[in-house]
């Protein structure tokens, strides 16, 4: 058979990750606050987009703000899977927006408060000129409190000068946020070219600064400084602070022999230590955990459970078609026409992607609420095992789509605030013989409840916990109980016995 070149025509289908499709997939994994930042960037880049958050603007497209009853959910089949199937989303199609509608969306108490302030003349009484009771609190705009470093430097400038102040500056700069000195005194002395005695002397002055215990190089020294301040630092307390490792192990008889005290004195010393602050520097720490804003609200109704998107944190995006018509009717070259068409296609795609994102989130959340209805009614002990694949198969989406939807999303319900990933847990086999299983979170809840109610004189071992859980219908191994107990931050039976003995002595 002779070899030679030839041309063949072959027809095939392939999935192309267009920029619009990548954007739609990216939007699924973002929370409402991240969506707000993303939309803000798009508003800067695209002149045809405008924010629809004002009270005098038209309402958002259908689907952006939507409340769905979980048991009777009939949302359109959509999401990232549909976007993938469609392939392109840049077609110019008019939005389904009624610009003449009289109904406007109320974002919540914030908008009503803003209207009330506006009606009252910016928060002041129109007759007396005084501020109303609900006016903004201007004290909240005050300068933030100083940190630990600034607080210590202020005391150092008042107590020291010259070379001593320079040494104190070097040492204070190496004090951690908790208030402990992380510097090597010998290295500091060599770096400044001074004797080690001078550095130790200045450190002794720092030890007298507020808060008491700051500048210590160990926990024992920190507690000793506070004991000296309280005039409780005697030889017995000194020996106790030198053997904190024995106190942590609960070796009270050995500690009593070392300190030379009886049980009553030892209990008083332990109670004194409990009143000290092991991390005095944290009094000046201003790091606060960022508040978590829920993306969804779940509330009970007569028909079931209502799922509502948090519209207060969800940006509304509109397309300014009048501006587009104005630009399109003006003189422009071929490049300008292509740029304007791209802007319109990008704007249309963004609005549709946001709309589809909300429908997908509600659809996934509705299935979660339907499956975990016992949890919302009775608590974590009734949480059922659930996987991403089970939800994906039920709602007809891909598992990766469900994974993106449940990432960085939080659900607020009467029982508290939960991440959507919280409802996906592994299962533990049930001993009831019905082939069912119990959620791992439910097992942890039972373990925590059993240990919390245990008698201090009869501490429950892991083997006893296994027997009690099996009596409740949970077939679980001892090593699994130990793993769940450690995940909850609960010590072993020996550690709990020592801790409760220490508490009893301190009481």
């Amino acid at each position: 058979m002779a070899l030679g070149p030839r041309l063949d025509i072959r027809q095939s289908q392939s999935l192309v990750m267009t920029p619009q499709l990548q954007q739609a997939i990216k939007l699924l994994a973002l929370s409402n606050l991240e969506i707000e930042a993303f939309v803000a960037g798009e508003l800067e880049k695209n002149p045809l987009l405008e924010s629809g958050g004002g009270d005098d603007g038209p309402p958002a497209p259908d689907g952006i703000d939507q409340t769905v009853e979980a048991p009777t959910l009939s949302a359109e089949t959509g999401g990232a899977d549909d976007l993938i199937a469609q392939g392109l989303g840049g077609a110019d199609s008019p939005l389904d927006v009624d610009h003449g509608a009289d109904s406007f969306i109320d974002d919540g108490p914030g908008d009503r408060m803003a209207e009330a302030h506006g009606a009252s003349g910016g928060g002041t009484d129109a007759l007396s000129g005084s501020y109303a009771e609900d006016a903004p609190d201007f004290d909240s705009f005050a300068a933030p409190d100083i940190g630990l470093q600034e607080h210590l430097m202020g005391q150092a400038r008042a107590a020291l000068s010259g070379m001593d102040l320079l040494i104190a500056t070097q040492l204070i700069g190496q004090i951690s946020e908790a208030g402990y000195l992380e510097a090597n005194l010998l290295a500091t002395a060599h770096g400044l070219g001074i004797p080690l005695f001078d550095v130790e002397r200045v450190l002794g002055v720092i030890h007298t600064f507020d808060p008491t215990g700051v500048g210590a190089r160990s926990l024992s020294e920190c507690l000793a400084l506070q004991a000296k301040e309280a005039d409780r630092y005697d030889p017995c307390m000194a020996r106790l602070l030198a053997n904190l490792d024995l106190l942590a192990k609960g070796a009270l008889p050995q500690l009593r022999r070392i300190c030379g005290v009886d049980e009553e004195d030892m209990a008083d010393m332990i109670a004194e230590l409990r009143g000290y602050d092991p991390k005095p520097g944290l009094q000046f720490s201003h790091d606060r955990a960022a508040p978590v804003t829920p993306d969804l609200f779940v509330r009970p109704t007569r028909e079931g459970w209502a799922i509502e998107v948090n519209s207060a944190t969800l940006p509304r995006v509109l397309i300014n078609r009048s501006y587009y018509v104005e630009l399109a009717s003006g003189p422009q070259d071929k490049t300008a026409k292509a740029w304007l068409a791209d802007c319109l296609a990008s704007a249309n795609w963004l609005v549709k992607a946001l709309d589809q994102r909300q429908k997908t989130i509600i659809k996934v959340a509705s299935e979660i609420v339907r499956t975990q209805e016992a949890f919302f009614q009775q608590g974590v002990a009734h949480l059922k095992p659930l996987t991403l694949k089970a939800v994906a198969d039920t709602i007809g989406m891909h598992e990766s789509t469900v994974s993106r939807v449940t990432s960085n999303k939080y659900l607020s319900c009467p029982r508290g605030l939960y991440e959507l990933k919280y409802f996906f847990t592994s299962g533990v086999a049930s001993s009831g013989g019905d082939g069912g299983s119990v959620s791992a979170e439910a097992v942890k809840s039972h373990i925590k409840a059993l240990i919390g109610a245990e008698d201090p004189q009869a501490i429950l071992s892991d083997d006893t916990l296994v027997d009690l859980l099996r009596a409740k219908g949970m077939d679980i191994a001892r090593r699994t109980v130990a793993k769940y107990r450690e995940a909850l931050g609960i010590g072993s039976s020996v550690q709990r016995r020592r801790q409760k003995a220490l508490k009893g002595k301190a009481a």
Side-chain angles (χ1 to χ4, degrees):
M1 181 178 179
L3 298 178
R6 70 177 186 179
L7 295 176
D8 289 335
I9 299 177
R10 185 174 301 171
Q11 185 177 8
S12 63
Q13 291 182 342
S14 62
L15 178 62
V16 180
M17 293 290 289
T18 63
Q20 292 84 2
L21 181 57
Q22 295 178 14
Q23 182 187 79
I25 294 176
K26 178 183 177 181
L27 292 179
L28 279 178
L30 299 181
S31 64
N32 281 6
L33 297 181
E34 293 171 333
I35 284 289
E36 186 176 2
F38 175 82
V39 169
E42 292 296 322
L43 289 173
E44 293 181 359
K45 294 188 296 183
N46 196 331
L48 299 183
L49 287 174
E50 63 180 14
S51 175
D55 289 342
D56 53 352
D62 183 23
I64 294 295
D65 294 320
Q66 186 175 3
T67 302
V68 178
E69 299 293 337
T72 59
L73 177 65
S74 60
E76 300 177 6
T77 302
D81 292 344
D82 289 345
L83 297 176
I84 292 175
Q86 295 172 6
L88 295 175
D92 180 16
S93 57
L95 297 177
D96 186 13
V97 179
D98 184 8
H99 294 277
D102 294 332
S103 60
F104 299 97
I105 297 176
D106 182 8
D107 282 342
D111 288 348
R112 293 190 288 272
M113 183 179 295
E115 294 174 2
H117 287 167
S120 61
T124 59
D125 192 338
L127 297 179
S128 62
S130 60
Y131 284 98
E133 293 183 358
D134 57 350
D137 182 12
F138 290 100
D139 292 338
S140 62
F141 298 98
D145 298 333
I146 62 174
L148 177 63
Q149 305 284 341
E150 292 81 359
H151 180 67
L152 295 178
M153 282 305 302
Q155 300 176 76
R157 295 187 187 97
L160 302 171
S161 62
M163 179 56 69
D164 289 349
L165 181 58
L166 177 61
I167 298 172
T169 303
Q170 293 291 327
L171 295 177
I172 291 174
Q174 300 180 73
I175 292 180
S176 67
E177 184 181 10
Y180 288 89
L181 179 65
E182 299 176 342
N184 187 316
L185 298 186
L186 185 59
T188 303
H190 282 308
L192 296 176
I194 57 176
L196 177 61
F197 170 78
D198 291 339
V199 179
E200 293 176 342
R201 177 175 53 82
V202 173
L203 179 59
V205 177
I206 294 176
H207 285 166
T208 64
F209 290 172
D210 178 71
T212 306
V214 71
R217 288 158 289 182
S218 64
L219 177 60
S220 298
E221 186 178 15
C222 178
L223 298 178
L225 292 173
Q226 298 180 55
K228 292 176 182 178
E229 179 72 17
D231 196 19
R232 291 277 295 174
Y233 191 74
D234 52 21
C236 296
M237 180 65 76
R239 287 191 288 269
L240 176 61
L241 292 176
N243 295 275
L244 290 178
D245 55 337
L246 296 179
L247 181 61
K249 295 178 182 179
L252 297 183
Q254 187 176 353
L255 275 176
R256 287 198 298 270
R257 289 194 300 268
I258 293 175
C259 298
V261 296
D262 55 16
E263 292 187 6
E264 184 178 355
D265 290 337
M266 178 59 66
D268 291 340
M269 294 166 65
I270 294 175
E272 183 73 21
L273 288 184
R274 289 183 182 276
Y276 296 156
D277 188 358
K279 296 181 180 180
L282 294 184
Q283 301 176 21
F284 295 85
S285 177
H286 306 298
D287 294 338
R288 297 181 177 87
V292 177
T293 304
D295 301 273
L296 296 165
F297 294 106
V298 176
R299 55 184 176 83
T301 62
R302 294 181 178 179
E303 294 78 12
W305 295 91
I307 303 173
E308 182 179 1
V309 176
N310 186 2
S311 59
T313 60
L314 186 66
R316 299 185 182 89
V317 182
L318 302 176
I319 301 177
N320 193 337
R321 295 191 177 275
S322 60
Y323 185 55
Y324 168 75
V325 173
E326 182 180 350
L327 292 179
S329 60
Q332 51 184 318
D333 54 11
K334 184 177 180 180
T335 304
K337 288 182 179 180
W339 172 80
L340 188 58
D342 290 341
C343 288
L344 182 61
S346 177
N348 277 326
W349 178 268
L350 177 62
V351 173
K352 292 178 181 178
L354 290 175
D355 182 18
Q356 206 75 327
R357 171 185 177 272
Q358 297 311 112
K359 292 179 179 179
T360 306
I361 291 176
I362 290 179
K363 197 169 186 179
V364 172
S366 299
E367 177 59 24
I368 293 176
V369 172
R370 187 192 64 82
T371 305
Q372 304 290 5
E373 186 175 3
F375 163 81
F376 292 98
Q377 292 178 346
Q378 305 177 47
V380 67
H382 299 270
L383 193 66
K384 297 180 180 179
L386 186 63
T387 62
L388 296 173
K389 188 176 185 303
V391 174
D393 294 341
T394 303
I395 64 178
M397 291 184 179
H398 196 271
E399 186 177 348
S400 63
T401 303
V402 179
S403 177
R404 292 187 181 95
V405 168
T406 54
S407 298
N408 304 319
K409 309 291 191 311
Y410 289 86
L411 179 148
S412 177
C413 64
R415 294 198 172 273
L417 185 66
Y418 298 91
E419 189 178 8
L420 288 183
K421 290 287 188 183
Y422 173 82
F423 299 99
F424 296 90
T425 60
S426 57
V428 175
S430 174
S431 58
D434 55 355
S437 58
V438 183
S439 170
E441 291 294 332
V443 176
K444 291 180 182 179
S445 175
H446 284 288
I447 293 175
K448 185 176 180 180
L450 290 172
I451 294 178
E454 67 183 357
D455 186 354
Q457 303 300 326
I459 302 298
L460 301 177
S461 64
D462 290 345
D463 291 327
T464 305
L465 289 174
V466 169
D467 296 336
L468 293 175
L469 291 173
R470 286 180 177 173
K472 293 177 177 290
M474 305 173 192
D475 189 6
I476 187 171
R478 181 184 180 278
R479 62 178 180 275
T480 307
V481 170
K483 180 179 71 172
Y484 288 169
R485 175 178 51 75
E486 293 173 358
L488 291 170
I490 301 175
S492 63
S493 58
V494 177
Q495 293 173 335
R496 299 200 305 276
R497 185 177 294 108
R498 288 175 176 174
Q499 290 173 358
K500 294 188 177 182
L502 286 175
K503 290 182 180 179
K505 296 294 183 182

